[in-house]
Amino acid sequence: MTSHVLEWLGAYHDGELTAGRRRQVEDHLRDCSTCREELESLNELSSLLKADPPSLRTSPQRFAAHVQLRLPHQAARSTRRNTGQLPRWVLGAPLALIGIWAFLQSALWVASLVLAADWALGPRVMFFSNWITAEGWLGSMASLFLLHAGLLIGTAVLWATWMAFWWAWKQNLNFELSSNQIQKEV
Amino acid sequence: MTSTYGTIEEVDDRDLIACAQRGDRQAFTELVCRHQNGVIGLIYRMCGDPQQAEDAAQEAFVRVWQNLDRYKPQHSFRSWLYRIAANVALDSLRRERPSTELGSLPLADASAGPEQSAEERQRAVQVRKAIARLSPPLRMVLILREYQELSYQEIAEALDIPTGTVMSRLSTARSQLRQELLVLMEEA
Ligand SMILES: [Zn+2]
C-alpha cells in the first residue's frame, strides 16, 4: 500500500481538492481502513458541530430595522466617499510623468550611443553625425547634456504644477468637509 | 428595480450591491436580511453571547454600508462581508472581555428551542465550550468553514491569509476539537 492520504482528508471532506488529487484520495480510501476511519471522524465532527444552530433573539425584520436606524445619514456617506478615495489622476499623473521621463531618457541614451558608434567608425561613415551641427564628439555630447538637463527641469516644473493642483484640491475638500460639519451641527 | 425584476427577493446580490452603492437603502436592507444570519452566527460563535453578537452584527452592517464604495464586484461579496464581520467580532472580543479565560465564556443559555432534549442541550453546551477554548485565529477559520461554509479561497480573502494557512489552521482546530469531543463523538 502507498502512503496514507491523511493530510488531504480535510480538504477532501471540504470538497476543496482538484479532480486529480480527489481521484487519488478516493482510490486510496477504497483500500485503506485507517484513512476511511479518519474521514469518518471528520464527518462526525462536522455533524456534531452543525447540530447546534444559533439561537437568534431578534426577528430578521427587526434586526434589519435596527441596522437601518443606525445607518449614518446619506450626506455623511457621500462626503466620506470623497475623502476615502483619491481621484485616479492624483495617482496616475506622477506615474505617467515618470513613464514619459524614463522613455525620453532611454531614447536619448540610445541616440547618444548610436552617435558615439557613428563617430568611432570614422569620418567616412559619419551618417548621423553630419546633421548635428556641433563640432565633433564633444559638441554633440554637450548638446546631449543640455537636452538631459532641459528634460529634468521640464519634469520638475510639471511635477510642481501637479503638486500645486493637488494641494488646491485638498484645500477645497477640507473646506467642503468643514462646511458639511457645520451644517450637521446646526 | 421592481419593474424589471418583480419583487426585491428575486434580485441577485450583485444588483442589490450596485443599488446600495448608489445609496439605495431598501436594497441594502434586503442585503442585511439575506446575510444577517451568517454575520450574527459568526460573531455569536466567536464571542458566545447572543445579545453582544447582535449588537456587534449591527455595527458590522453599519461598517459595510459605510465602506460599500470600496467593495469591488470582482471579489466575493461574502469574503468582503465576513472580513468586516470578523474584524468586528475580534474587536468586540477584545473590548468586552480582555482578561476572561476562553473556557469560561458565558455561553448562550442553550434554550434554542423546546424541541431540543436535555441531552441535546447538554451536548450543544459542550460543543460551544470546546469551540470557545480554541484560540481566536483557529476558531475563526473553523467557524467560517463549518458554519458559514465559505470556501478556502473565500476564507483566505476574508482573513487576508494564504490558503495554506487556512488549511493548516483548520486541521489544527479540528484535531483539537476531536480530542475534546471524543466522548460525544463516540456516543453519537
Ligand atoms: Zn491510508
Side-chain angles (χ1 to χ4, degrees):
Chain A
M1 174 168 312
T2 49
S3 58
H4 292 304
V5 290
L6 296 169
E7 76 265 38
W8 300 111
L9 286 178
Y12 176 77
H13 166 79
D14 293 323
E16 292 273 353
L17 288 184
T18 56
R21 180 78 70 187
R22 195 174 58 235
R23 240 172 289 127
Q24 201 180 324
V25 170
E26 277 164 358
D27 286 346
H28 178 89
L29 283 172
R30 256 193 294 279
D31 315 315
C32 176
S33 59
T34 313
C35 287
R36 270 203 307 275
E37 274 165 30
E38 180 73 10
L39 180 65
E40 187 48 40
S41 132
L42 282 173
N43 292 337
E44 276 170 20
L45 178 68
S46 278
S47 30
L48 186 64
L49 295 178
K50 289 200 178 76
D52 174 33
S55 48
L56 299 179
R57 299 269 160 124
T58 319
S59 75
Q61 287 75 19
R62 265 191 65 193
F63 179 85
H66 284 307
V67 173
Q68 274 275 5
L69 286 175
R70 285 177 67 171
L71 293 187
H73 196 263
Q74 192 55 46
R77 186 167 174 264
S78 56
T79 320
R80 204 205 54 73
R81 185 189 289 255
N82 280 343
T83 47
Q85 256 179 354
L86 296 176
R88 242 167 228 192
W89 61 267
V90 171
L91 291 171
L95 285 179
L97 279 181
I98 291 167
I100 291 167
W101 182 75
F103 172 76
L104 289 175
Q105 281 283 318
S106 46
L108 273 170
W109 279 111
V110 170
S112 59
L113 275 176
V114 169
L115 279 175
D118 198 24
W119 253 98
L121 287 173
R124 273 177 308 155
V125 253
M126 281 198 338
F127 184 74
F128 297 105
S129 320
N130 281 338
W131 50 267
I132 291 190
T133 48
E135 310 84 76
W137 219 89
L138 264 178
S140 60
M141 284 325 268
S143 59
L144 273 176
F145 175 77
L146 279 175
L147 263 172
H148 279 277
L151 267 174
L152 262 174
I153 292 164
T155 315
V157 168
L158 282 173
W159 183 273
T161 318
W162 171 76
M163 289 300 280
F165 266 115
W166 190 39
W167 184 79
W169 177 77
K170 270 186 83 172
Q171 289 297 307
N172 189 28
L173 191 84
N174 284 344
F175 172 71
E176 261 177 43
L177 269 177
S178 49
S179 58
N180 222 301
Q181 221 137 38
I182 294 162
Q183 273 178 349
K184 250 182 163 176
E185 277 159 15
V186 172
Chain B
M1 185 160 61
T2 28
S3 59
T4 16
Y5 292 100
T7 60
I8 197 165
E9 286 81 17
E10 293 164 32
V11 183
D12 81 62
D13 269 11
R14 233 167 246 275
D15 297 316
L16 285 175
I17 295 160
C19 289
Q21 282 179 323
R22 290 192 294 270
D24 184 337
R25 283 162 178 258
Q26 201 196 344
F28 185 71
T29 301
E30 177 61 22
L31 281 172
V32 173
C33 286
R34 287 185 190 184
H35 296 283
Q36 58 173 290
N37 280 356
V39 171
I40 299 172
L42 169 68
I43 303 176
Y44 165 59
R45 290 184 200 281
M46 282 305 289
C47 318
D49 178 60
Q51 193 52 55
Q52 189 192 341
E54 284 192 15
D55 288 344
Q58 284 176 20
E59 190 190 324
F61 279 111
V62 172
R63 283 198 209 173
V64 168
W65 170 256
Q66 288 175 315
N67 290 286
L68 258 183
D69 51 341
R70 291 188 197 170
Y71 168 71
K72 302 275 182 298
Q74 61 264 33
H75 294 118
S76 149
F77 179 66
R78 291 209 304 170
S79 295
W80 187 75
L81 174 69
Y82 283 116
R83 172 191 285 254
I84 293 176
N87 285 332
V88 170
L90 293 174
D91 282 353
S92 88
L93 212 58
R94 270 192 289 268
R95 206 170 33 210
E96 302 290 326
R97 250 185 286 286
S99 58
T100 329
E101 265 179 57
L102 287 172
S104 62
L105 285 174
L107 293 151
D109 53 6
S111 56
E115 70 277 4
Q116 260 193 331
S117 71
E119 196 188 330
E120 279 171 328
R121 242 178 284 164
Q122 188 54 35
R123 196 179 296 168
V125 169
Q126 274 183 275
V127 168
R128 286 177 206 171
K129 279 189 175 164
I131 293 176
R133 274 192 288 270
L134 296 172
S135 72
L138 295 183
R139 206 179 333 154
M140 183 70 81
V141 171
L142 182 95
I143 294 168
L144 287 175
R145 175 61 226 166
E146 291 283 1
Y147 294 103
Q148 267 48 61
E149 299 185 336
L150 263 62
S151 69
Y152 289 0
Q153 184 58 42
E154 284 178 316
I155 299 174
E157 275 178 31
L159 304 180
D160 209 9
I161 52 177
T163 38
T165 310
V166 174
M167 285 174 77
S168 63
R169 284 188 192 172
L170 200 49
S171 142
T172 313
R174 279 171 171 159
S175 51
Q176 275 188 35
L177 282 182
R178 274 155 66 193
Q179 270 169 11
E180 298 234 3
L181 300 171
L182 202 61
V183 185
L184 284 187
M185 282 168 67
E186 278 166 1
E187 279 172 19

